[in-house]
């Protein structure tokens, strides 16, 4: 098999197919460690690719963005579909005014400017550059959702799940629940590997912001596949959403006060010290209400940023001024002493 060259190629029909290619030989031969997901590779001659954000600005290495392709082999558009053509084929924003005046015309609707395509095709694919200058495919822009007001790439969460030791397959979907949009993860492990959803969530919390961590991760023997051999998302079982943590009562006056405010704002019966505000159904508007109530009730400099960054109620309490926490402890000691006095009076 050594005479066979294995290539991983990528390209949409609109770019006359292959635009990016990855030579897999270094990975197959053991020269480089086998990645969790094979890169789609480097740009072929005669093509230009850009990884851009929603404002058509290039994103830094490692940051996800939409892939745009240009070059002489770009299609003219879609037959008899001018609206779709205008939506998917856009003017190249990186061609300056001087270059535009020097445009070399090719076929109708085509053109290159000093070798740079005057138009770009929006692929709808989410990718990122890695440290080797290779493109990594993350998923479709259709898989972009908003959780708590933040834009989330489902493919990026899946990529992180696949890097957790023992995980063989992973898929992440969005579920619209009474508590708002929530992420649900599904994984299968390597043979003989025992996985636990709660442990996987804790692993993701060390590398992802809370809003990107699935509220539930279900472990399956194998992920269901459709007739084309791709993961069948419609066949996935319904997730059971919970924090994955046993209830632990708040500790101290401050945590108790915070828990009371959270419960009132969120409309839940109780809040434990390891509960996350947003996993209990919080969103940006409720967060604003909770922050205002915590400020007015506790007279503390609580901010929205603190609430968003806090992993749980105990973490938020720990972020508040030390003086307040010291006062809480002193108050508890004073209360204990007062109760002791009452008990002594009763004994007499």
């Amino acid at each position: 098999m050594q005479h066979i060259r294995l290539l991983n190629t990528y390209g949409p029909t609109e770019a006359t197919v292959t635009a990016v290619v990855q030579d897999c030989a270094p990975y197959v031969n053991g020269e480089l460690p086998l990645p969790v997901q094979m890169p789609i590779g480097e740009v072929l001659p005669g093509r230009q690719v850009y990884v851009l954000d929603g404002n058509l600005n290039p994103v830094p290495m490692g940051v996800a963005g939409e892939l745009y392709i240009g070059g002489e082999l770009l299609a003219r558009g879609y037959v008899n579909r001018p609206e779709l053509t205008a939506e998917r084929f856009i003017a190249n924003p990186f061609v300056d005014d001087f270059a535009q005046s020097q445009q070399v015309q090719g076929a109708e609707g085509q053109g290159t400017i000093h070798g740079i395509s005057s138009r770009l095709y929006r692929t709808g694919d989410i990718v990122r550059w890695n440290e080797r200058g290779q493109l990594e495919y993350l998923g479709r822009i259709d898989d972009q959702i908003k959780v708590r007001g933040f834009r989330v790439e489902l493919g990026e969460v899946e990529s992180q799940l696949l890097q957790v030791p023992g995980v063989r397959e992973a898929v992440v979907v969005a579920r619209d629940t009474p508590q708002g949009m929530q992420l649900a993860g599904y994984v299968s492990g390597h043979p003989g590997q025992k996985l636990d959803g709660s442990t996987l969530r804790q692993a993701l919390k060390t590398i992802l912001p809370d809003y990107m961590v699935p509220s539930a991760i279900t472990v399956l023997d194998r992920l269901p596949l459709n007739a084309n051999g791709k993961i069948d998302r419609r066949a996935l079982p319904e997730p059971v959403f919970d924090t994955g943590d046993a209830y632990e009562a708040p500790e101290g006056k401050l945590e108790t006060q915070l828990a009371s405010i959270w419960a009132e704002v969120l409309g839940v019966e109780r809040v434990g010290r390891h509960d996350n505000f947003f996993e209990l159904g919080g969103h940006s508007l409720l967060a604003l209400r909770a922050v205002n109530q915590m400020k007015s009730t506790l007279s503390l400099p609580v901010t929205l940023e603190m609430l968003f960054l806090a992993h749980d109620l105990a973490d938020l309490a720990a972020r508040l001024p030390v003086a307040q926490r010291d006062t809480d402890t002193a108050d508890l000691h004073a209360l204990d002493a007062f109760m002791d006095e009452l008990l002594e009076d009763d004994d007499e």
Side-chain angles (χ1 to χ4, degrees):
M1 297 290 289
Q2 293 184 355
H3 64 284
I4 297 177
R5 187 181 182 190
L6 182 61
L7 301 175
N8 185 27
T9 63
Y10 164 90
T13 302
E14 291 85 348
T16 317
V17 195
T18 306
V20 180
V21 63
Q22 174 64 49
D23 187 351
C24 301
Y27 302 100
V28 175
N29 298 335
E31 299 173 23
L32 293 174
L34 193 64
V36 173
Q37 183 173 348
M38 186 66 66
I40 58 175
E42 301 175 357
V43 185
L44 287 174
R47 280 81 165 174
Q48 297 95 45
V49 303
Y50 303 87
V51 183
L52 309 177
D53 62 18
N55 296 317
L56 299 182
N57 295 314
V59 299
M61 181 187 71
V63 176
E66 185 176 359
L67 179 61
Y68 289 73
I69 299 178
E72 296 179 352
L73 298 180
L74 209 61
R76 300 181 186 181
Y78 301 103
V79 177
N80 298 326
R81 302 190 68 182
E83 295 84 2
L84 184 60
T85 297
E87 176 187 343
R88 307 303 296 184
F89 293 86
I90 67 170
N92 188 340
F94 304 103
V95 177
D96 58 31
D97 294 338
F98 172 79
Q100 288 181 9
S101 67
Q102 303 297 316
Q103 182 168 349
V104 179
Q105 293 294 337
E108 181 182 353
Q110 293 284 87
T112 60
I113 304 165
H114 300 309
I116 298 177
S117 175
S118 61
R119 297 186 309 143
L120 297 178
Y121 169 66
R122 295 185 57 186
T123 66
D125 290 326
I126 302 299
V127 300
R128 66 184 171 198
W129 294 107
N130 66 18
E131 66 278 1
R132 295 181 179 275
Q134 303 162 329
L135 285 171
E136 296 179 346
Y137 180 85
L138 298 177
R140 292 287 300 166
I141 198 169
D142 307 331
D143 294 334
Q144 281 188 340
I145 62 166
K146 276 197 172 182
V147 177
R148 308 176 203 165
F150 294 95
R151 191 176 299 279
V152 175
E153 314 283 354
L154 297 181
E156 192 167 0
V157 184
E158 292 171 354
S159 176
Q160 294 297 335
L161 260 178
L162 287 169
Q163 295 184 46
V164 177
V167 174
R168 182 170 61 91
E169 300 173 298
V171 64
V172 177
V173 299
R175 291 285 187 266
D176 196 1
T177 72
Q179 289 74 37
M181 190 66 69
Q182 297 194 66
L183 301 182
Y186 298 85
V187 300
S188 67
H190 292 285
Q193 186 73 42
K194 188 175 181 180
L195 299 176
D196 175 73
S198 179
T199 303
L200 292 172
R201 291 183 69 252
Q202 293 303 320
L204 289 182
K205 284 183 177 181
T206 64
I207 53 179
L208 292 175
D210 280 342
Y211 64 85
M212 291 183 67
V213 177
S215 299
I217 296 180
T218 304
V219 179
L220 303 173
D221 292 335
R222 292 189 66 86
L223 299 187
L225 303 179
N226 58 26
N228 295 324
K230 296 183 178 181
I231 295 175
D232 188 352
R233 287 169 167 77
R234 291 178 296 182
L236 293 168
E238 284 299 314
V240 178
F241 289 110
D242 57 42
T243 62
D245 301 314
Y247 173 79
E248 186 175 335
E251 293 182 358
K253 178 182 176 182
L254 180 56
E255 287 189 12
T256 302
Q257 290 175 322
L258 293 176
S260 176
I261 293 172
W262 284 21
E264 179 182 345
V265 171
L266 296 171
V268 297
E269 183 177 349
R270 67 180 186 180
V271 175
R273 68 190 312 262
H274 294 304
D275 285 337
N276 179 279
F277 182 85
F278 299 98
E279 290 177 355
L280 292 177
H283 49 70
S284 55
L285 292 179
L286 289 179
L288 185 60
R289 186 182 304 171
V291 167
N292 288 335
Q293 192 161 335
M294 286 185 284
K295 283 182 177 179
S296 60
T297 303
L298 305 180
S299 299
L300 286 173
V302 187
T303 65
L304 274 174
E305 181 182 14
M306 293 169 65
L307 184 57
F308 273 101
L309 293 177
H311 295 297
D312 51 33
L313 183 135
D315 185 25
L316 177 62
R319 293 171 184 268
L320 294 173
V322 176
Q324 175 69 25
R325 299 201 301 275
D326 291 342
T327 301
D328 294 339
T329 304
D331 288 345
L332 288 174
H333 289 322
L335 179 60
D336 288 339
F338 177 68
M339 292 300 296
D340 290 340
E341 290 180 9
L342 288 179
L343 291 174
E344 289 176 2
D345 291 341
D346 288 342
D347 291 339
E348 294 175 357

